[in-house]
């Protein structure tokens, strides 16, 4: 475990290699799992604010579901808010592109410059997950291993792409440029030490 600006960072984040392979998984993380994408408190209000601009991108089923349960849901077991889900377990914001790959309706609205919110930070950072304990001021970044991402791990190894570099933009969005630069320096220092040991 590393410490970067008082945030605990799992070694996996610099050691594991990863590149999303949407051709293989078809965006399965948008419909697999038991809960919606975790949301930060500020994002709850943001989802309400951007909904009218995002709504046209969504399916009729998604729009009905959001009318029924709202743009987000409180999930008891992880004890956190997340994006609402369709009855089949898919995220209500999931859409499909022309190749049948799952995408994010929020992100498409952002790409089309309808809104300035890209998507929930938990989705942007994935497969990194944030763990928090506000009572003790604890925050940690961990690698969420999931078998649906096997092809992403294989592609990452082929390209020699460390996980933290793959999600560089998301890390900077969440923690700032200086955090990423410090993490990058630590990762390079560790790699140089490993290389010199051989």
């Amino acid at each position: 475990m590393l410490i970067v600006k008082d945030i605990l960072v799992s070694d996996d984040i610099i050691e594991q290699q990863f590149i999303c392979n949407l051709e293989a998984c078809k965006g399965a993380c948008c419909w697999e799992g038991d809960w919606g994408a975790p949301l930060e408190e500020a994002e709850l209000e943001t989802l309400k604010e951007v909904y009218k601009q995002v709504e046209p991108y969504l399916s009729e089923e998604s729009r009905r579901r959001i009318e029924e349960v709202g743009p987000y849901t409180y999930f008891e077991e992880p004890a956190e808010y997340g994006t609402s889900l369709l009855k089949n377990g898919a995220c209500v914001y999931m859409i499909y592109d022309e190749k049948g790959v799952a995408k994010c309706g929020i992100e498409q609205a952002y790409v089309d410059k309808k809104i300035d919110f890209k998507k929930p930070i938990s989705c942007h950072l994935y497969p990194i997950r944030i763990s928090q304990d506000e009572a003790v001021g604890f925050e940690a970044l961990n690698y969420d291993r999931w078998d649906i991402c096997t092809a992403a791990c294989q592609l990452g190894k082929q390209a020699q792409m460390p996980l933290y570099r793959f999600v560089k933009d998301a890390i900077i969005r969440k923690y700032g440029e200086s955090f990423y630069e410090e993490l990058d320096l630590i990762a390079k220092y560790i790699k140089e030490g490993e290389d010199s040991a051989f």
Side-chain angles (χ1 to χ4, degrees), residues 67-149:
E67 284 176 21
E68 182 185 331
V69 300
Y72 54 81
T73 299
Y74 185 77
F75 294 93
E76 294 287 345
E77 191 171 326
E80 64 188 5
Y81 284 98
T83 55
S84 294
L85 300 177
L86 297 174
K87 291 182 179 176
N88 65 7
C91 177
V92 292
Y93 299 103
M94 184 184 77
I95 61 175
Y96 291 100
D97 69 10
E98 64 282 353
K99 295 179 181 176
V101 174
K103 302 280 179 145
C104 177
I106 299 168
E107 187 169 16
Q108 191 58 56
Y110 171 84
V111 168
D112 290 345
K113 297 184 170 36
K114 305 291 186 186
I115 57 176
D116 59 8
F117 176 67
K118 186 177 179 75
K119 57 185 169 182
I121 192 66
S122 67
C123 299
H124 200 183
L125 276 169
Y126 200 77
I128 293 176
R129 281 286 190 232
I130 301 171
S131 301
Q132 289 182 315
D133 185 333
E134 293 177 11
V136 294
F138 163 89
E139 187 165 337
L141 302 182
N142 294 293
Y143 171 40
D144 187 33
R145 296 171 188 274
W146 200 359
D147 58 0
I148 65 170
C149 294

Side-chain angles (χ1 to χ4, degrees), residues 14-31:
I14 62 170
E15 292 172 357
Q16 297 300 314
Q17 295 166 329
F18 192 98
I19 297 177
C20 276
N21 188 344
L22 293 174
E23 293 294 319
C25 74
K26 305 297 183 188
C29 59
C30 295
W31 73 76

Side-chain angles (χ1 to χ4, degrees), residues 3 24 26 32-34 36-37 56 62 66 69 88 101 115 122 164 178:
I3 299 179
K26 305 297 183 188
E32 293 283 356
D34 299 317
S62 287
I66 290 169
V69 300
N88 65 7
V101 174
I115 57 176
S122 67
Y164 79 95
S178 63

